[in-house]
Each structure stands twice: as structure tokens, then as C-alpha cells.
Amino acid sequence: MTLTPWWRNAVVYEVYVRSFADADGDGEGDLRGVRSRLGHLRHLGVDALWLTPFYRSPLADGGYDVADYRAVDPRFGSLGDFDDLVAAAHGHGLRLIVDIVPNHTSDRHRWFQEALASPPGSPARDRYLFRPGGPAGPAGAAGPAGAAGPAGAAEGPPNDWPSAFGGPAWTRLPDGEWYLHLYTPEQPDLNWRNPEVRREFEDILRFWLDRGVDGFRIDVAAGLFKDGTYGDLGGRDRRALHGPVYARSEIHPVYRAWRRILDEYDGDRMAIGEVWTEGPEDLALYLRPDELHQVFQFDLQLAPWSAPAFRDVVASALAAVAGAGAAPTWVLSSHDSVRHVTRYGRPGSAPGLGPARARAALLFMLALPGSAYLYQGEELGLPEVTDLPDAARQDPIWTQSAGGEPGRDGCRVPLPWSGKTEPYGFSADGVRPWLPMPAGWAALTAEAQAPDPASTLSFYREALARRRLLTADLPDGVEWLDSPETALIFRRGPFACALNCGEDPVRMPSGSVLLTSAPLHGDLLAGNSSAWLVPSG
Ligand code: GLC
């Protein structure tokens, strides 16, 4: 008998370290803070935690700009704190995976500093993507320079690629060379055709595997190689970067090599890639048996509140992984997206609509085959904080769009643990958290919700406890049962899940009800709610 590896059905909890719990009282979360709250995660009933980057970093992009991949940033703690956290997590029966950021480093990374101090054409510059400028034109006009190069000619960036966060993807150095950064100028992209880069990351993987991590979440996993011709997009939007950046076959040997390293270690070490693709076929390539164990599938998170849309998402997500023999992954919220309680509300709707739909969506997601990735705070039903003062915002999306886009700070506000006012137990009393926490979160704290059986926290605990008992032996596929158009009912073996996306109640199949997201009325499932049941017959 082969045992199912732990990650295949796991519920993984994303810890945004800076906002989870602050043990040292500087207003920012840290590794000792995470350790102090492991009891919450164990009681919640998740299987693993994923830590967002805690490495040495100037935090130009919340730590996704790494200056030293083998060091803990002092504001988050020390390597000793990390080792203690791994041991404590394992002691609680929790796995721990960490983020790895291979597409770019921080501009403060030793390699980039060396590149800046070295001339064009030098080996130090070859670790990044430096290019001479191009003619000034529409692309040049968008650049920061559009300036006279060393020879005095007006010049612009090498091509018209935009950064994901707004503005051009190139920055010019005083000596006339430009470097590529798909994200902020403080995140120069690495040259993955340089063997030294490959060796370095293989070594970094080993460094953290030796310290006991159970796996990696690979940031921007599809973006490492760029088409060396650097053709212009010619007016097409950012999605046109797919071909020249996000669908390059050179990537796969890199992950095969990483897989061999993971396989050298005992205990089912795994990797999940943050892969945005145009079609399901591309996803399956990453999931070949000698590559990554999982990829994120973001379609559920992107789907509107609609039964037909959810059904399509499930069908295509299952189809995408089936050929590879892999299990799907599901996400409703993350540190990069508007929290789903807020997404599911409608402007002008009753305040309870978003929370009701969020609970319904949780049961739907947890009933599906595969693994689910939760984002910290969703177990408290936290909404997006939409009214942060401009001066408090820190996301580079806000600054690079000159205030045109609010960015992602609204889902990164620190967690409320206890008490009646800021910092709600996130930090010591009187400490100001790095992002302000709203007045009125007293009822949302973990402390306030824990004793209330009707709270979102109690609901998550119950759903996760039941899922653990239920789903391990269920078939990997889903069988759709008849339902009204505004609802979905699917079955996995003896177990079924019904989701009503409409406003009107729908009749449930007969059987015994295990859990509902809202009270039932006889055999009627209320609008915007869901249920788990064992159908009779
Ligand atoms: C990923 C991360 C995001 C970060 C970006 C650049 O998409 O999830 O937070 O800004 O990569 O590293």
C-alpha cells in the first residue's frame, strides 16, 4: 500500500509573517510571534503553514526583494528563531513550507551591488539582465530616462515591456546600460541562463532543507527565462508577455533539478509553483512526475459569485491536473488579492452578504479533491481594509501607479488576536502596528470568536475537523448531481456538497446533513449558503 503524501490533501495556511504576530514589540510580525501562535493553527486544524519571505530585505516589495537568501531579516528574528519555529511546528504536527524567490533579487543583494560596480559586459552583470538602450520613441518616452546616452544620442529602454506594478520594466544606469525588472526597480531580474545562478539556488534549497523545511512555494515560478530577442509588445497589454516570459520551455530542466534535490531528502519534501498560465495545458507541464508536486490554480479566486462559473472552474481545474496524475489546489484569498469576504459583497448590499458567501465558499472549496491554501485572517472573516490613509500605504503598486491603484495593503493589515483596540493583541499594548488596524475589529478577534459557536472561527474549526475525518478516502473526481441553475451539487463517493449561489432557497437532496454554512429551513438550503451531507440512496 502506498501512503498518500501529506501535501496531496493538505490544508495549508499562508502566514504573512509581517502581519501575523509581533513578539518583539516593534510593530511588525516576526518568527517568534508565529511560534507563539502555533496553538491557534493546530486548534484551527490546518496541516501546514507557508511562511512568506522573512529573509534579509529592504522590504521594497514586502520581502519579495531578497538581499540575502540565507539570513533572517533582523526585524523578523534570527536563524535560531527559525530553527526553533521549525521544531515547534513539527512538535505540533504541522509541516512548514517557505517561499523562495528565484526570479529576482533585491537591488541590495551582494550580486547586484557587484554588478553596479562592474562595467558593461562583466561577469557580475551577466548574473542579471542588462542591455543597451534602444531608440527613444513611445517606449523611450515611458522610461525614466528618455535621456541622452553616453554618446549623446536620445535613447529609451531596450524595449517597451511594462513592469507588473506600473511603469517600465527597465531602469537605466548612469553608464547607459539598462536592467530588467518585471516588478519594482528594486527587484532586478536574474539571468537564469547563467550557470552560477542555477547553482546558487540549488544551494539555497539545500540550506533550508537542511534546516528542516517541508517544502517551498516558488514565487513567479514561470517567469525565470526571457526571450533573448526582447521584442516590443507594440501596444499590446501585459498579457502579451506570456510568450516571451511566462511560457518558456527552458524552465522545466530547472525544476527537474530542484525535484532531484527534494527527493534526496526524507519525508515528502515538496514544491508548489506560483504559475500563471494562459491555459491548463501549460500547468500540466510543471506537474510531470519529475517536476513540481503542485501548482497554484487561481481560477476559483478569480471567478465571480456564480454557480455556472464555479462549475466551469472546477471542471477545468480537475482536467488540468488529471493528465499529470496530480491533485488540484484551491485558493480563495492570498496576500496579493482583495479578501474574499469583501470581493463577494456587492456595493450597496447588506453587510452580511460577503461573510455569508465567504462561509459558503469555504465548504465548497474544502469539499473538492486536492489541497486548499487558506490565507491568514480568513478564519476570522476579516474584510479587506479599504480606507487605509494614503500616507500609511506601503505596497509598491500604490507608489508605482502614483496612487492610481490602491495595491495590496488592505489584505495585509495585522491580525486582531484579542482586546478592544489597536493593536488587538498583535503587538504589545501601546505599540503602533506597521499598518493601522481599523477601529471596530474588537468583535473579530480570535479571543472574541473562540467561545462563540456561531462565529466564523468556530465554523472554520468545525469544517476543518470534519474535512480531516471525511475526505482522506474520497475519490479524486466529482460527480455533478442535478440542481437548479443557480446552485451546484456534487458528490464524491458517499459524500456530497451543495452550494446555493442564488438568492432563493433550493431543495437539498435527501440524506443526513453534516454541516451547513447557514441555518437550514427543513430541507431548504438558503440563498448564498452551502452544506455538506451524506445523501441517502
Ligand atoms: C508574487 C508574490 C507577490 C510579489 C511578486 C513579486 O506574485 O506573491 O507578492 O509582489 O511575486 O515577487
Side-chain angles (χ1 to χ4, degrees):
M1 191 184 100
T2 50
L3 281 179
T4 307
W6 67 270
W7 42 266
R8 212 178 153 95
N9 292 310
V11 176
V12 183
Y13 181 100
E14 178 186 357
V15 174
Y16 193 77
V17 176
R18 199 179 182 189
S19 299
F20 188 70
D22 172 22
D24 66 5
D26 65 355
E28 300 188 90
D30 45 46
L31 296 177
R32 282 201 292 124
V34 179
R35 182 155 63 101
S36 73
R37 298 289 183 182
L38 287 175
H40 171 80
L41 299 182
R42 198 203 40 195
H43 193 176
L44 182 59
V46 300
D47 301 294
L49 51 152
W50 146 32
L51 298 182
T52 56
F54 48 83
Y55 314 110
R56 188 183 294 275
S57 165
L59 301 192
D61 182 20
Y64 284 95
D65 49 318
V66 181
D68 183 345
Y69 290 82
R70 296 178 187 79
V72 175
D73 195 277
R75 72 184 99 190
F76 300 133
S78 64
L79 275 176
D81 293 336
F82 181 81
D83 293 340
D84 290 347
L85 174 58
V86 173
H90 288 164
H92 281 286
L94 294 163
R95 309 274 182 159
L96 187 140
I97 70 177
V98 296
D99 233 300
I100 183 150
V101 188
N103 181 66
H104 41 262
T105 68
S106 160
D107 62 346
R108 306 286 175 79
H109 190 282
R110 180 176 55 84
W111 276 2
F112 196 70
Q113 291 297 314
E114 260 175 59
L116 292 180
S118 304
S122 57
R125 290 220 173 163
D126 189 56
R127 296 179 184 127
Y128 293 90
L129 299 168
F130 282 90
R131 290 288 173 279
E155 70 161 38
N159 70 12
D160 64 1
W161 290 3
S163 135
F165 296 159
W170 297 94
T171 290
R172 185 176 178 275
L173 298 184
D175 62 23
E177 278 215 315
W178 299 69
Y179 67 89
L180 181 73
H181 50 84
L182 292 179
Y183 296 88
T184 69
E186 293 84 7
Q187 292 167 296
D189 279 45
L190 285 163
N191 173 17
W192 273 85
R193 295 194 175 91
N194 182 326
E196 202 185 346
V197 171
R198 293 177 64 141
R199 279 199 304 275
E200 172 70 357
F201 275 87
E202 292 176 4
D203 197 65
I204 293 165
L205 291 180
R206 286 202 167 87
F207 179 86
W208 294 103
L209 288 165
D210 288 340
R211 301 196 100 87
V213 304
D214 296 288
F216 298 92
R217 177 265 188 190
I218 308 168
D219 188 63
V220 192
L224 312 194
F225 289 87
K226 283 83 185 174
D227 180 353
T229 63
Y230 292 99
D232 278 332
L233 299 187
R236 290 170 300 155
D237 71 19
R238 241 195 123 255
R239 278 170 300 181
L241 282 179
H242 186 72
V245 176
Y246 295 103
R248 318 263 348 139
S249 57
E250 300 103 304
I251 195 96
H252 297 291
V254 169
Y255 294 137
R256 290 206 175 100
W258 288 21
R259 176 61 175 261
R260 285 194 294 276
I261 293 171
L262 291 163
D263 287 348
E264 284 168 20
Y265 287 79
D266 60 0
D268 283 332
R269 316 287 178 113
M270 57 82 75
I272 175 164
E274 186 208 16
V275 177
W276 297 86
T277 59
E278 286 203 322
E281 312 75 36
D282 291 358
L283 273 190
L285 293 175
Y286 289 84
L287 296 170
R288 286 174 290 193
D290 60 347
E291 285 201 39
L292 303 182
H293 302 77
Q294 294 186 321
V295 289
F296 279 104
Q297 292 174 282
F298 294 109
D299 296 331
L300 182 61
Q301 178 181 329
L302 298 174
W305 181 259
S306 140
F310 285 147
R311 186 173 165 146
D312 284 352
V313 161
V314 170
S316 68
L318 294 182
V321 299
T329 62
W330 310 102
V331 188
L332 289 167
S333 279
S334 78
H335 69 289
D336 288 330
S337 62
V338 172
R339 285 188 177 275
H340 61 280
V341 160
T342 302
R343 242 174 32 233
Y344 288 149
R346 264 194 316 256
S349 65
L353 182 68
R357 287 178 170 180
R359 287 168 72 121
L362 179 77
L363 289 193
F364 179 64
M365 173 170 81
L366 293 182
L368 292 165
S371 65
Y373 282 75
L374 308 182
Y375 176 52
Q376 70 178 35
E378 66 171 89
E379 78 278 23
L380 304 176
L382 293 189
E384 184 83 358
V385 179
T386 52
D387 57 357
L388 284 170
D390 289 355
R393 291 189 186 275
Q394 310 228 357
D395 187 0
I397 293 183
W398 166 255
T399 34
Q400 277 186 229
S401 69
E405 299 279 338
R408 301 161 294 181
D409 293 314
C411 65
R412 298 175 177 179
V413 170
L415 287 196
W417 292 98
S418 58
K420 303 279 182 224
T421 52
E422 182 182 276
Y424 298 102
F426 165 72
S427 253
D429 282 351
V431 172
R432 287 184 64 187
W434 71 280
L435 282 175
M437 302 173 70
W441 268 14
L444 292 177
T445 65
E447 177 188 59
Q449 294 196 40
D452 174 4
S455 69
T456 303
L457 178 58
S458 300
F459 173 69
Y460 265 71
R461 285 177 175 166
E462 187 167 2
L464 289 166
R466 283 189 178 267
R467 181 186 197 271
R468 191 178 286 274
L469 294 174
L470 267 173
T471 53
D473 299 321
L474 297 179
D476 270 350
V478 304
E479 179 196 343
W480 299 102
L481 306 184
D482 286 344
S483 62
E485 211 185 314
T486 54
L488 294 174
I489 307 175
F490 68 82
R491 198 173 169 142
R492 292 177 64 203
F495 166 72
C497 175
L499 169 68
N500 182 1
C501 292
E503 301 300 323
D504 299 328
V506 296
R507 198 167 302 284
M508 296 229 292
S510 56
S512 59
V513 174
L514 303 171
L515 184 62
T516 61
S517 70
L520 281 182
H521 303 287
D523 63 351
L524 290 180
L525 183 64
N528 299 306
S529 77
S530 61
W532 287 353
L533 67 153
V534 175
S536 45

mmCIF file of all heavy atoms in Angstrom, residues 334-361:
data_model
loop_
_atom_site.group_PDB
_atom_site.id
_atom_site.type_symbol
_atom_site.label_atom_id
_atom_site.label_comp_id
_atom_site.label_asym_id
_atom_site.label_seq_id
_atom_site.Cartn_x
_atom_site.Cartn_y
_atom_site.Cartn_z
ATOM 1 N N SER A 334 -5.366 35.539 -0.792
ATOM 2 C CA SER A 334 -3.929 35.494 -0.530
ATOM 3 C C SER A 334 -3.451 36.904 -0.226
ATOM 4 O O SER A 334 -4.245 37.851 -0.270
ATOM 5 C CB SER A 334 -3.171 34.958 -1.747
ATOM 6 O OG SER A 334 -3.065 35.985 -2.714
ATOM 7 N N HIS A 335 -2.138 37.032 0.014
ATOM 8 C CA HIS A 335 -1.570 38.357 0.303
ATOM 9 C C HIS A 335 -1.533 39.245 -0.932
ATOM 10 O O HIS A 335 -1.078 40.378 -0.851
ATOM 11 C CB HIS A 335 -0.156 38.175 0.869
ATOM 12 C CG HIS A 335 0.812 37.660 -0.163
ATOM 13 N ND1 HIS A 335 0.774 36.372 -0.646
ATOM 14 C CD2 HIS A 335 1.814 38.278 -0.829
ATOM 15 C CE1 HIS A 335 1.717 36.217 -1.550
ATOM 16 N NE2 HIS A 335 2.367 37.356 -1.685
ATOM 17 N N ASP A 336 -1.954 38.722 -2.081
ATOM 18 C CA ASP A 336 -1.935 39.510 -3.320
ATOM 19 C C ASP A 336 -3.327 39.903 -3.797
ATOM 20 O O ASP A 336 -3.452 40.507 -4.866
ATOM 21 C CB ASP A 336 -1.270 38.697 -4.446
ATOM 22 C CG ASP A 336 0.231 38.563 -4.266
ATOM 23 O OD1 ASP A 336 0.846 39.466 -3.682
ATOM 24 O OD2 ASP A 336 0.784 37.538 -4.715
ATOM 25 N N SER A 337 -4.378 39.515 -3.078
ATOM 26 C CA SER A 337 -5.723 39.746 -3.644
ATOM 27 C C SER A 337 -6.661 40.347 -2.598
ATOM 28 O O SER A 337 -6.416 40.237 -1.393
ATOM 29 C CB SER A 337 -6.299 38.417 -4.141
ATOM 30 O OG SER A 337 -6.424 37.524 -3.061
ATOM 31 N N VAL A 338 -7.737 40.944 -3.074
ATOM 32 C CA VAL A 338 -8.752 41.502 -2.180
ATOM 33 C C VAL A 338 -9.395 40.346 -1.414
ATOM 34 O O VAL A 338 -9.761 39.323 -2.003
ATOM 35 C CB VAL A 338 -9.815 42.267 -3.000
ATOM 36 C CG1 VAL A 338 -10.981 42.694 -2.121
ATOM 37 C CG2 VAL A 338 -9.179 43.459 -3.694
ATOM 38 N N ARG A 339 -9.513 40.481 -0.105
ATOM 39 C CA ARG A 339 -10.069 39.383 0.706
ATOM 40 C C ARG A 339 -11.463 38.999 0.198
ATOM 41 O O ARG A 339 -12.265 39.864 -0.149
ATOM 42 C CB ARG A 339 -10.126 39.807 2.179
ATOM 43 C CG ARG A 339 -8.765 39.795 2.853
ATOM 44 C CD ARG A 339 -8.923 40.037 4.335
ATOM 45 N NE ARG A 339 -7.665 39.974 5.050
ATOM 46 C CZ ARG A 339 -7.107 38.839 5.497
ATOM 47 N NH1 ARG A 339 -7.700 37.667 5.308
ATOM 48 N NH2 ARG A 339 -5.963 38.877 6.137
ATOM 49 N N HIS A 340 -11.759 37.695 0.235
ATOM 50 C CA HIS A 340 -12.970 37.244 -0.450
ATOM 51 C C HIS A 340 -14.253 37.677 0.254
ATOM 52 O O HIS A 340 -15.289 37.793 -0.400
ATOM 53 C CB HIS A 340 -12.936 35.762 -0.805
ATOM 54 C CG HIS A 340 -12.820 34.809 0.338
ATOM 55 N ND1 HIS A 340 -11.636 34.525 0.954
ATOM 56 C CD2 HIS A 340 -13.742 34.042 0.944
ATOM 57 C CE1 HIS A 340 -11.828 33.625 1.889
ATOM 58 N NE2 HIS A 340 -13.104 33.317 1.915
ATOM 59 N N VAL A 341 -14.198 37.944 1.558
ATOM 60 C CA VAL A 341 -15.394 38.485 2.226
ATOM 61 C C VAL A 341 -15.832 39.780 1.523
ATOM 62 O O VAL A 341 -17.019 40.013 1.294
ATOM 63 C CB VAL A 341 -15.080 38.783 3.713
ATOM 64 C CG1 VAL A 341 -16.072 39.752 4.315
ATOM 65 C CG2 VAL A 341 -15.064 37.488 4.517
ATOM 66 N N THR A 342 -14.861 40.582 1.158
ATOM 67 C CA THR A 342 -15.159 41.863 0.506
ATOM 68 C C THR A 342 -15.483 41.661 -0.967
ATOM 69 O O THR A 342 -16.410 42.267 -1.506
ATOM 70 C CB THR A 342 -13.949 42.811 0.675
ATOM 71 O OG1 THR A 342 -13.710 42.953 2.077
ATOM 72 C CG2 THR A 342 -14.196 44.166 0.042
ATOM 73 N N ARG A 343 -14.724 40.761 -1.615
ATOM 74 C CA ARG A 343 -14.971 40.501 -3.046
ATOM 75 C C ARG A 343 -16.383 40.007 -3.290
ATOM 76 O O ARG A 343 -17.020 40.344 -4.290
ATOM 77 C CB ARG A 343 -13.989 39.425 -3.503
ATOM 78 C CG ARG A 343 -13.060 39.876 -4.561
ATOM 79 C CD ARG A 343 -12.014 38.849 -4.895
ATOM 80 N NE ARG A 343 -12.335 37.467 -4.785
ATOM 81 C CZ ARG A 343 -11.614 36.574 -4.090
ATOM 82 N NH1 ARG A 343 -10.553 36.959 -3.415
ATOM 83 N NH2 ARG A 343 -11.967 35.306 -4.059
ATOM 84 N N TYR A 344 -16.868 39.185 -2.385
ATOM 85 C CA TYR A 344 -18.191 38.576 -2.587
ATOM 86 C C TYR A 344 -19.341 39.489 -2.176
ATOM 87 O O TYR A 344 -20.497 39.167 -2.412
ATOM 88 C CB TYR A 344 -18.293 37.257 -1.818
ATOM 89 C CG TYR A 344 -17.477 36.118 -2.390
ATOM 90 C CD1 TYR A 344 -16.957 35.137 -1.562
ATOM 91 C CD2 TYR A 344 -17.247 36.003 -3.756
ATOM 92 C CE1 TYR A 344 -16.216 34.081 -2.059
ATOM 93 C CE2 TYR A 344 -16.502 34.952 -4.266
ATOM 94 C CZ TYR A 344 -15.988 33.993 -3.413
ATOM 95 O OH TYR A 344 -15.263 32.947 -3.919
ATOM 96 N N GLY A 345 -19.030 40.612 -1.503
ATOM 97 C CA GLY A 345 -20.101 41.561 -1.200
ATOM 98 C C GLY A 345 -20.428 42.324 -2.472
ATOM 99 O O GLY A 345 -19.653 42.310 -3.420
ATOM 100 N N ARG A 346 -21.574 42.931 -2.500
ATOM 101 C CA ARG A 346 -21.910 43.760 -3.663
ATOM 102 C C ARG A 346 -22.013 45.186 -3.163
ATOM 103 O O ARG A 346 -22.519 45.405 -2.070
ATOM 104 C CB ARG A 346 -23.275 43.352 -4.226
ATOM 105 C CG ARG A 346 -23.235 42.390 -5.379
ATOM 106 C CD ARG A 346 -24.590 42.329 -6.049
ATOM 107 N NE ARG A 346 -25.713 42.259 -5.126
ATOM 108 C CZ ARG A 346 -26.409 41.174 -4.855
ATOM 109 N NH1 ARG A 346 -26.099 40.048 -5.435
ATOM 110 N NH2 ARG A 346 -27.422 41.200 -4.022
ATOM 111 N N PRO A 347 -21.549 46.169 -3.966
ATOM 112 C CA PRO A 347 -21.716 47.537 -3.492
ATOM 113 C C PRO A 347 -23.178 47.780 -3.150
ATOM 114 O O PRO A 347 -24.074 47.407 -3.922
ATOM 115 C CB PRO A 347 -21.290 48.391 -4.701
ATOM 116 C CG PRO A 347 -20.516 47.471 -5.596
ATOM 117 C CD PRO A 347 -20.957 46.075 -5.300
ATOM 118 N N GLY A 348 -23.443 48.306 -1.981
ATOM 119 C CA GLY A 348 -24.823 48.614 -1.592
ATOM 120 C C GLY A 348 -25.586 47.432 -1.013
ATOM 121 O O GLY A 348 -26.735 47.577 -0.594
ATOM 122 N N SER A 349 -24.956 46.233 -0.976
ATOM 123 C CA SER A 349 -25.695 45.072 -0.453
ATOM 124 C C SER A 349 -25.654 45.075 1.072
ATOM 125 O O SER A 349 -24.875 45.810 1.685
ATOM 126 C CB SER A 349 -25.071 43.776 -0.973
ATOM 127 O OG SER A 349 -23.778 43.650 -0.444
ATOM 128 N N ALA A 350 -26.472 44.222 1.664
ATOM 129 C CA ALA A 350 -26.478 44.108 3.130
ATOM 130 C C ALA A 350 -25.080 43.700 3.588
ATOM 131 O O ALA A 350 -24.402 42.922 2.897
ATOM 132 C CB ALA A 350 -27.489 43.054 3.553
ATOM 133 N N PRO A 351 -24.625 44.206 4.741
ATOM 134 C CA PRO A 351 -23.245 43.900 5.170
ATOM 135 C C PRO A 351 -23.007 42.412 5.384
ATOM 136 O O PRO A 351 -21.875 41.945 5.341
ATOM 137 C CB PRO A 351 -23.095 44.675 6.491
ATOM 138 C CG PRO A 351 -24.432 45.197 6.853
ATOM 139 C CD PRO A 351 -25.323 45.120 5.650
ATOM 140 N N GLY A 352 -24.068 41.636 5.592
ATOM 141 C CA GLY A 352 -23.871 40.207 5.844
ATOM 142 C C GLY A 352 -23.638 39.385 4.588
ATOM 143 O O GLY A 352 -23.293 38.202 4.668
ATOM 144 N N LEU A 353 -23.806 39.974 3.410
ATOM 145 C CA LEU A 353 -23.744 39.159 2.189
ATOM 146 C C LEU A 353 -22.339 38.582 1.955
ATOM 147 O O LEU A 353 -22.190 37.373 1.710
ATOM 148 C CB LEU A 353 -24.179 39.995 0.971
ATOM 149 C CG LEU A 353 -24.194 39.217 -0.346
ATOM 150 C CD1 LEU A 353 -25.301 38.159 -0.335
ATOM 151 C CD2 LEU A 353 -24.383 40.162 -1.543
ATOM 152 N N GLY A 354 -21.320 39.435 2.016
ATOM 153 C CA GLY A 354 -19.951 38.959 1.779
ATOM 154 C C GLY A 354 -19.573 37.848 2.752
ATOM 155 O O GLY A 354 -19.106 36.779 2.335
ATOM 156 N N PRO A 355 -19.763 38.064 4.079
ATOM 157 C CA PRO A 355 -19.433 36.999 5.026
ATOM 158 C C PRO A 355 -20.225 35.709 4.782
ATOM 159 O O PRO A 355 -19.666 34.610 4.887
ATOM 160 C CB PRO A 355 -19.784 37.620 6.384
ATOM 161 C CG PRO A 355 -19.642 39.102 6.168
ATOM 162 C CD PRO A 355 -20.042 39.349 4.740
ATOM 163 N N ALA A 356 -21.505 35.823 4.429
ATOM 164 C CA ALA A 356 -22.310 34.606 4.196
ATOM 165 C C ALA A 356 -21.750 33.827 3.009
ATOM 166 O O ALA A 356 -21.582 32.602 3.054
ATOM 167 C CB ALA A 356 -23.770 34.988 3.944
ATOM 168 N N ARG A 357 -21.441 34.554 1.940
ATOM 169 C CA ARG A 357 -20.894 33.883 0.752
ATOM 170 C C ARG A 357 -19.506 33.305 1.044
ATOM 171 O O ARG A 357 -19.148 32.244 0.528
ATOM 172 C CB ARG A 357 -20.804 34.882 -0.397
ATOM 173 C CG ARG A 357 -22.176 35.220 -0.963
ATOM 174 C CD ARG A 357 -22.033 36.249 -2.061
ATOM 175 N NE ARG A 357 -23.285 36.417 -2.774
ATOM 176 C CZ ARG A 357 -23.443 37.263 -3.798
ATOM 177 N NH1 ARG A 357 -22.439 38.018 -4.194
ATOM 178 N NH2 ARG A 357 -24.607 37.341 -4.405
ATOM 179 N N ALA A 358 -18.738 34.016 1.849
ATOM 180 C CA ALA A 358 -17.385 33.523 2.166
ATOM 181 C C ALA A 358 -17.478 32.188 2.916
ATOM 182 O O ALA A 358 -16.717 31.255 2.646
ATOM 183 C CB ALA A 358 -16.625 34.560 2.978
ATOM 184 N N ARG A 359 -18.402 32.098 3.838
ATOM 185 C CA ARG A 359 -18.572 30.816 4.559
ATOM 186 C C ARG A 359 -19.019 29.727 3.602
ATOM 187 O O ARG A 359 -18.530 28.588 3.654
ATOM 188 C CB ARG A 359 -19.605 30.982 5.676
ATOM 189 C CG ARG A 359 -19.101 31.776 6.868
ATOM 190 C CD ARG A 359 -20.238 32.157 7.793
ATOM 191 N NE ARG A 359 -20.770 31.024 8.530
ATOM 192 C CZ ARG A 359 -20.800 30.945 9.872
ATOM 193 N NH1 ARG A 359 -20.342 31.941 10.610
ATOM 194 N NH2 ARG A 359 -21.294 29.890 10.467
ATOM 195 N N ALA A 360 -19.959 30.078 2.738
ATOM 196 C CA ALA A 360 -20.455 29.084 1.773
ATOM 197 C C ALA A 360 -19.312 28.609 0.874
ATOM 198 O O ALA A 360 -19.176 27.410 0.593
ATOM 199 C CB ALA A 360 -21.580 29.698 0.946
ATOM 200 N N ALA A 361 -18.495 29.551 0.433
ATOM 201 C CA ALA A 361 -17.388 29.197 -0.468
ATOM 202 C C ALA A 361 -16.388 28.284 0.230
ATOM 203 O O ALA A 361 -15.784 27.414 -0.397
ATOM 204 C CB ALA A 361 -16.693 30.463 -0.965
#
